[in-house]
Amino acid sequence: PKAPAIAERSTGRTMGYHADLMAEINAINRKDQDAFAIGSHSKASKARAAIRSEVVPVKNAEGKIVNDDNLIRSKINPAKVAKLKPAFRKPQDHGTVNAASSS
């Protein structure tokens, strides 16, 4: 089977590329994006703890029990986030979206 394309059909660009482009157009700098991402993970972690009793575990196709969102990082080190490389565009091309801010 052929892997699905991750690029948007009309532009041929990825969502990450467009996120970088929108950040550039709207003058949203890397520092502000990182702070927003860290705050978002913190809020999600607190929300997860608040609703833990409402989560119903399910079994995935491999038979593993899934009862948590593994993309929420409860402990994010801001210094490490600041060191992450842009994931979609190079810094000289206004690349600012990274693994922490794009997930």
Side-chain angles (χ1 to χ4, degrees), residues 42-78:
S42 176
K43 290 173 190 172
S45 181
K46 289 175 186 172
R48 175 175 52 193
I51 65 165
R52 175 118 9 234
S53 65
E54 299 178 34
V55 174
V56 177
V58 296
K59 193 179 288 189
N60 69 11
E62 291 83 35
K64 181 181 176 187
I65 300 296
V66 179
N67 61 355
D68 205 0
D69 182 341
N70 64 355
L71 294 178
I72 298 172
R73 306 287 183 237
S74 56
K75 296 179 183 176
I76 287 191
N77 182 332

Side-chain angles (χ1 to χ4, degrees), residues 4-30:
I6 60 169
E8 200 276 322
R9 250 187 260 177
S10 66
T11 65
R13 304 285 186 180
T14 64
M15 287 174 58
Y17 178 90
H18 285 282
D20 270 331
L21 184 60
M22 294 307 298
E24 180 185 357
I25 290 168
N26 293 290
I28 302 169
N29 64 41
R30 165 72 186 259

